[in-house]
Amino acid sequence: MQEENSFEMTNTPAETAVVDPAEKKETEISDGEIAVVKEEKKKPKKKKPKKKVIEVNGLGVRFNMAEQKVDSLKEYFIRLVHRNLKYKEFWALKDVTFAIRKGDRVGILGLNGAGKSTLLKVIAGVLKATEGTVSVKESVVPLLELGAGFDKDYTGAENIYLYGSMLGYRRDFIREKFDEIVKFSELGDFINVPVKNYSSGMRARLGFSIATIVDPQILILDEVLSVGDAKFKKKSANKLKKMMKSGVTVLLVSHQSEQVRSICNKAIILDHGRLIASGKAEEICDRYEEICSAEKTK
Amino acid sequence: MLTAFKNFGKFRYLLYELIKKDIKLKYRSSILGVLWTLLEPLLTMIVLTVVFSGLLGKGDDNFPVYILCGRLLYSFFSTGTKTALKSIRKNSSTIRKVYVPKYMYPLASTLSSYLIFLISLIVLVGVALYEKVNMTPAIFGAIFPLITVFFLTLGVGLILSVLDVFFRDLEYLWTVVLMLIMYTCAIFYKVESLKSVTNEWIFKINPLYSLIVNFRNAVFGRALDMYHFWYALGFSAVVMLLGSFLFYKKQDKFILYI
């Protein structure tokens, strides 16, 4: 039997409702119904729970860590003949199950190497799940690494079109928003300079401006809240806050519980690829701090 | 399948942007810019004509046009496959962070090479007019080799781009294979005029040679050779299917290796 850590539940993760397999199947067919059924089991809520926009079911991601990197043909064949093609398997994520409802702001906590970034990459569609399923119902804007899609020989202006089209924007849409992007990035005349001559702050500013020009339904943040100088930092934080107020779903990766407390209403903790806790942000942050201090005294 | 088409619709602007980027950046820092698309084949043609013009006898096809037909097709195949081969690794930093359909990269690089190739056909037209090559309606037959060569290049490019992710050696190996292909394309000589034709099969199995033969047939007003026509078409279809299949099967593994 599998636990379902769904965020509409008010109980602590230790008491997460156990869903029987029959019901589990139903979840896949019609999640609208099942949400109502579950609600009847517990104390009735005033508000109807919003629809699930991200569902992660038994997610596992496996990496093959070749002990020695075999990337030449000759070496590959030698090893094949000698039956020496051994890989060390490594599960970056294992049995992760949760669901996120519309408008939730979810913090993903965990120490280094807990699998936070891997989880975001799977949700953003960059990585494929080895097992389990991930379904994302709405448009995602990942702010994973700002300016990752830039071409360094291209000018800022040209990169707006390139990066915009990578995020799936339409051309006329980008053209329409072009001035707004340039203005927000505060690049001024530098917009016609090749990106290779930009400082890292300028690059991040441009990346941030392009990615946030749409009103995404799901925003993925990987500790990018600190972009540029103090002034731009404030500006970008304001923009994000404005987006959050408009009911966007947020996924934030962090290993600082303060950040999660201030932004999120829900949180989960990952540890060595496993989901160990999920629930309200405050409770989970407290628990995370406990874990951290326990780790320190070890 | 349907979602794949929907996805393509969403990212068709990206395809356009990638092609534009390839072409723009290729000539960005050169003074003559896109003119090189025309100058480069013209100059190579002159060099080859000066050196090898004795290889064709009297009554044979016009030598400069003969060379250009072969060279243009070969150089498209060679640049197209070479850029497609590197396309996944070149864009590795993007692939690791932003989701886009990965076939966009080899597709865009092949398409941009193809566009440049189509532009460079102007040189062929110009030289053919200058040399007063007699053009007949048979010239429209050139459409078949021109289309087939695109799919041949794309198919081979897809296969190479996948393999290159796992084996970096391929880049060097492929330049050697390309050399073999070039010499079996009979760009500046005739197969029939070779002293010993014991190895004629090596020309027969080169699909690019088949395409060049038919391209020349069309340009010089002859009918298409049906063996070469079907062989090139069949080869390209197989390579396209194999390439798409391999790419589809392996694309999720790319991120673990690049």
Side-chain angles (χ1 to χ4, degrees):
Chain A
M1 270 188 210
Q2 222 173 349
E3 284 184 343
E4 176 158 319
N5 304 296
S6 192
F7 285 115
E8 97 268 18
M9 297 170 190
T10 46
N11 45 13
T12 53
E15 304 160 15
T16 36
V18 177
V19 187
D20 68 62
E23 221 178 356
K24 188 101 184 85
K25 257 187 198 148
E26 245 178 280
T27 325
E28 282 153 25
I29 304 160
S30 60
D31 46 88
E33 268 177 37
I34 200 77
V36 180
V37 174
K38 254 187 249 154
E39 219 187 321
E40 280 168 2
K41 277 190 190 166
K42 296 184 283 130
K43 56 186 178 188
K45 261 188 199 168
K46 278 161 235 156
K47 264 201 297 185
K48 196 172 167 243
K50 287 177 176 158
K51 77 167 187 180
K52 290 176 185 170
V53 286
I54 299 177
E55 278 188 86
V56 177
N57 245 318
L59 170 69
V61 174
R62 186 186 62 206
F63 291 117
N64 284 334
M65 295 204 307
E67 286 177 6
Q68 284 140 315
K69 210 165 156 60
V70 182
D71 58 2
S72 83
L73 208 57
K74 189 179 125 204
E75 209 175 323
Y76 182 84
F77 281 119
I78 290 171
R79 279 165 187 272
L80 197 69
V81 170
H82 291 214
R83 296 177 191 272
N84 203 5
L85 271 176
K86 269 186 218 141
Y87 293 109
K88 207 161 119 194
E89 282 188 2
F90 167 73
W91 287 89
L93 289 172
K94 186 81 178 150
D95 293 333
V96 177
T97 301
F98 64 91
I100 293 174
R101 292 180 180 276
K102 197 170 172 51
D104 273 341
R105 300 183 301 278
V106 181
I108 302 173
L109 288 159
L111 302 169
N112 281 335
K116 299 174 303 238
S117 295
T118 309
L119 180 60
L120 286 198
K121 279 185 177 174
V122 175
I123 292 172
V126 178
L127 257 179
K128 267 268 156 63
T130 316
E131 54 174 46
T133 57
V134 175
S135 80
V136 179
K137 302 263 163 61
E138 291 184 321
S139 71
V140 178
V141 164
L143 297 185
L144 290 181
E145 205 156 314
L146 292 166
F150 287 169
D151 189 290
K152 62 179 173 33
D153 292 320
Y154 242 24
T155 67
E158 289 165 325
N159 266 310
I160 291 179
Y161 284 97
L162 181 66
Y163 190 52
S165 65
M166 265 177 203
L167 296 175
Y169 304 168
R170 295 190 13 244
R171 260 177 67 76
D172 38 0
F173 174 80
I174 304 172
R175 197 176 297 139
E176 204 176 288
K177 296 278 184 177
F178 186 84
D179 291 334
E180 201 180 316
I181 294 171
V182 177
K183 201 176 149 217
F184 193 85
S185 67
E186 297 175 1
L187 282 169
D189 291 338
F190 282 104
I191 202 72
N192 291 319
V193 169
V195 163
K196 63 182 168 193
N197 299 335
Y198 280 20
S199 70
S200 55
M202 287 159 87
R203 209 173 300 181
R205 257 150 56 194
L206 185 60
F208 183 89
S209 310
I210 301 170
T212 55
I213 200 69
V214 283
D215 293 320
Q217 286 151 318
I218 303 171
L219 196 63
I220 296 185
L221 303 169
D222 193 353
E223 297 177 289
V224 286
L225 297 172
S226 47
V227 168
D229 54 13
K231 193 174 137 230
F232 194 81
K233 222 179 263 181
K234 208 172 157 196
K235 198 168 146 185
S236 58
N238 278 340
K239 177 129 186 181
L240 289 178
K241 261 182 209 147
K242 217 173 90 191
M243 282 178 153
M244 286 173 200
K245 261 187 204 148
S246 69
V248 64
T249 311
V250 179
L251 268 154
L252 167 76
V253 152
S254 185
H255 45 241
Q256 294 166 293
S257 52
E258 300 85 51
Q259 210 171 28
V260 173
R261 263 182 225 270
S262 69
I263 292 173
C264 304
N265 61 342
K266 305 277 171 64
I268 61 177
I269 303 178
L270 287 175
D271 182 40
H272 293 97
R274 284 171 195 271
L275 184 70
I276 55 169
S278 68
K280 281 195 166 174
E282 290 91 56
E283 293 164 19
I284 295 297
C285 284
D286 289 342
R287 192 149 164 215
Y288 179 70
E289 277 155 23
E290 272 169 39
I291 293 172
C292 283
S293 52
E295 197 83 1
K296 262 180 212 158
T297 51
K298 238 183 226 176
Chain B
M1 201 64 189
L2 192 72
T3 50
F5 278 115
K6 247 191 209 159
N7 221 5
F8 180 79
K10 189 182 168 196
F11 284 102
R12 65 180 187 276
Y13 300 101
L14 174 66
L15 187 64
Y16 171 80
E17 285 294 331
L18 287 174
I19 295 170
K20 200 170 83 177
K21 185 186 87 173
D22 276 350
I23 295 180
K24 254 187 171 174
L25 289 182
K26 188 166 180 186
Y27 299 110
R28 170 147 290 178
S29 50
S30 70
I31 299 165
L32 292 174
V34 88
L35 262 182
W36 275 113
T37 318
L38 306 177
L39 272 178
E40 201 255 306
L42 194 66
L43 293 175
T44 6
M45 180 207 77
I46 292 171
V47 170
L48 288 173
T49 308
V50 168
V51 179
F52 293 111
S53 62
L55 285 179
L56 286 198
K58 267 211 167 134
D60 275 334
D61 296 335
N62 177 283
F63 195 69
V65 177
Y66 185 87
I67 288 182
L68 261 184
C69 291
R71 224 207 87 86
L72 285 175
L73 279 182
Y74 168 77
S75 70
F76 161 61
F77 180 78
S78 133
T79 44
T81 50
K82 266 197 252 170
T83 48
L85 182 144
K86 289 184 202 147
S87 60
I88 296 294
R89 278 208 291 129
K90 211 179 104 197
N91 292 295
S92 60
S93 65
T94 316
I95 290 172
R96 252 180 275 153
K97 276 141 205 159
V98 193
Y99 168 77
V100 295
K102 293 177 200 57
Y103 63 82
M104 284 289 172
Y105 297 111
L107 181 63
S109 69
T110 312
L111 273 171
S112 58
S113 310
Y114 193 61
L115 268 180
I116 290 176
F117 162 67
L118 289 183
I119 294 171
S120 65
L121 285 180
I122 295 173
V123 178
L124 181 67
V125 175
V127 173
L129 288 177
Y130 178 79
E131 296 281 340
K132 300 198 181 66
V133 171
N134 193 16
M135 284 201 224
T136 64
I139 190 86
F140 292 107
I143 283 187
F144 298 109
L146 286 183
I147 292 173
T148 317
V149 76
F150 173 74
F151 288 104
L152 176 70
T153 309
L154 181 61
V156 173
L158 279 174
I159 296 174
L160 291 174
S161 68
V162 174
L163 294 180
D164 187 56
V165 172
F166 304 102
F167 303 112
R168 305 277 154 90
D169 301 33
L170 201 64
E171 207 175 298
Y172 308 103
L173 200 62
W174 185 243
T175 43
V176 179
V177 176
L178 271 179
M179 195 170 72
L180 178 72
I181 293 174
M182 185 187 85
Y183 284 117
T184 54
C185 275
I187 291 175
F188 48 80
Y189 56 88
K190 288 190 114 175
V191 177
E192 298 83 44
S193 67
L194 286 181
K195 283 258 158 59
S196 81
V197 277
T198 45
N199 286 337
E200 210 192 330
W201 59 272
I202 211 165
F203 291 93
K204 284 213 158 165
I205 60 162
N206 180 357
L208 197 59
Y209 175 66
S210 295
L211 288 169
I212 291 174
V213 166
N214 270 338
F215 189 53
R216 280 176 184 150
N217 281 342
V219 169
F220 289 109
R222 294 186 291 258
L224 298 182
D225 179 305
M226 278 302 135
Y227 163 79
H228 288 306
F229 177 83
W230 288 111
Y231 179 69
L233 196 68
F235 197 98
S236 308
V238 169
V239 159
M240 259 314 281
L241 282 175
L242 194 68
S244 316
F245 179 75
L246 197 65
F247 201 90
Y248 179 77
K249 280 278 163 201
K250 291 285 179 193
Q251 57 177 350
D252 295 331
K253 294 233 151 115
F254 289 173
I255 190 165
L256 307 176
Y257 290 87
I258 49 178

